[in-house]
Amino acid sequence: MRTTSEKECSLDLNLDVAELTARLVDIPSESGSEKSIADAVEQALRTLPHLTVDRFANNVVARTFLGRAERVVLAGHLDTVPAAANVPSRLDDDGVLWGCGTSDMKSGLAVQLRIAATVTEPDRDLTFVFYEQEEVAAHLNGLGRIADAHPDWLSGDFAVLLEPSNGQVEGGCQGTLRVLLRTAGERAHSARSWMGANAIHAAGPILARLAAYEPRKPVIDGLEYREGLNAVRIEGGVANNVIPDECTVTVNFRYAPDRTEEEALAHVKETFADCGIEEFTVGNLSGAALPGLSHPAAVAFMKAVGGRAMPKFGWTDVSRFAGLGVPAVNYGPGDALFAHRRDEHVETKAIAHCEERLRAWLGQQLAP
Amino acid sequence: MRTTSEKECSLDLNLDVAELTARLVDIPSESGSEKSIADAVEQALRTLPHLTVDRFANNVVARTFLGRAERVVLAGHLDTVPAAANVPSRLDDDGVLWGCGTSDMKSGLAVQLRIAATVTEPDRDLTFVFYEQEEVAAHLNGLGRIADAHPDWLSGDFAVLLEPSNGQVEGGCQGTLRVLLRTAGERAHSARSWMGANAIHAAGPILARLAAYEPRKPVIDGLEYREGLNAVRIEGGVANNVIPDECTVTVNFRYAPDRTEEEALAHVKETFADCGIEEFTVGNLSGAALPGLSHPAAVAFMKAVGGRAMPKFGWTDVSRFAGLGVPAVNYGPGDALFAHRRDEHVETKAIAHCEERLRAWLGQQLAP
């Protein structure tokens, strides 16, 4: 027996892409609660005879097996940040759709679903990936978990992540490294400070080094990246009358995709080599992704979608494709500036434009 | 009707000073719970016809009015830090008394009570002060509250605070000033750090100034003081991917008694004048106290107790006497190194020595 609520979660892939976006927004899918939307997506995809559908946890992958020379991947995450009294969706008179996930990234998911339903004879084999838990801790990320458990599901020559990029192609992504730099001292009563050694004072050279650091702006595949080395946190102190024996500076290095993870780490270690650091701890290290814009599938993609590619400064899941040897770009209809906001929205014509450009790339027009 | 518990809190001032210390330790008096011990002290003092006794909250003051040329004050706090399974007291075979408050400072209180009971014809008029809440926030301090409400109760030419000083005279005390130095920046995503301004990096010059600071060691009344300027806390950071817009360094300046509070504050302001500080906030300012060892009553006191006076580096309540224009020293039988510890203890012979020296100073021998 089906309950009404389950029935409500079915998706009609014949809706136009804006209506389909609204339907997806109206199925709440905060990270960790993606079952309903994953069920709806899986059910809809299983009705399409040209696709082979697989499921793993709340991750759904659908593929064509047409024996084409190339395979391309379209991917997007099913989850959103918690809603902020902005669900269900609302379409205004100017053709703008408002609501949680409209931009990040249910409009992108709607494009994927429309392409899946309508491009039945693509000139490249297609893989559609719908995954869970992108907005939360990295180890929960559905794309990462598929990459670990079923890497073959993600294989391909080129991938497009439909994250909001305002309809512009964003190539690759910068890497991010977080390290904790700890200085040490010796506690003493602050009335007899000469009996101790002040670990906060010892952090001075770290801050001076950071302030003087000159980040690179390397050009890769025609895109200018911008690195950055910054303290994002500093903590030290025991009590108001105690000379502190410990101080920790958390540093975030955002690095361009011409460095490997190892090179990025070595660079940061070298930068602070003579700063009197007692302990150097790696908190997080996520690799960069080369834009890969010289790959034939990418060249064809750029030609089809038009515009000029931009570098991606933030870290995104394209890096996970890079880790599997698949060049990847971000290209989606939403505007990242409005993601995670109460006033999140997307222009419906931008969604339609994205769908139309991807269809052109894949060599099919929509039947009139 | 008296209950047994009330009866148990009576004090026999004919006990020897070590036994009396043990009795005082056995009346728990954690800060805020001084009523029982204040009652016992008041009751015992009221039996002495040569003293005039006043009470205010859990503070007891007893004075002689013999028309002497000088008046000296003996003062001590009634409260202790919370007991640590070290009450009741225990006297071991080596004459060491163990328990919470043995050192800080019920041995000192016992000396005060013994002097009060037995020095009936002192050559200086005497004031005995027993006060509450020394171990907690400054605004609760009983000595401070008496100074506000009844300053005349504390008037005198010289004061001895019987805080643990290991039987050595500690002259005056250093002042303490706490300031918060806040730097400002502008938030941005750390992947686009050039859009923001890093407030933690901006704290670098403050730490560099602190590390380079050379504290003074002024000699005052023959005592060498040692100043100190130290960061005791540093805090900054919003999230691991955000350029922080705020960083706060808490600085503690311990200064010698040749500076006034205003001068100490001006010195710290000047020290950091060009460090790019957005906001300078005074967290706490407690004045220093001059040792006053050249005063005739102090000279006589030093002669009677013997030894060489030492500077007091930590801030103590002698500063409250200084604020009333009464030179003051610390002189008590306990060892401050064992204060607030589970293994707190005092040598009973040190208590007896302290009693005997004070009696000699006041011109009376104990009847054999």
Side-chain angles (χ1 to χ4, degrees), chain A residues 51-118:
Chain A
L51 293 176
T52 301
V53 179
D54 290 293
R55 174 148 176 177
F56 168 61
N58 288 321
N59 305 290
V60 181
V61 175
R63 287 175 286 178
T64 64
F65 288 97
L66 303 169
R68 306 290 192 237
E70 282 183 351
R71 173 175 293 279
V72 296
V73 184
L74 302 185
H77 60 85
L78 293 165
D79 60 324
T80 68
V81 294
N86 54 357
V87 168
S89 60
R90 178 176 64 82
L91 181 68
D92 71 17
D93 295 340
D94 299 322
V96 177
L97 184 68
W98 301 78
C100 179
T102 45
S103 168
D104 184 13
M105 57 169 285
K106 290 182 172 175
S107 50
L109 298 180
V111 170
Q112 290 178 238
L113 288 170
R114 285 289 296 158
I115 298 289
T118 60

Side-chain angles (χ1 to χ4, degrees), chain A residues 191, chain B residues 141 173-176 254 286-288 312-317 319-320:
Chain B
N141 184 292
C173 79
Q174 296 205 128
T176 179
R254 298 286 178 149
S286 298
K312 182 68 182 175
F313 297 121
W315 190 90
T316 78
D317 274 336
S319 172
R320 297 188 194 274

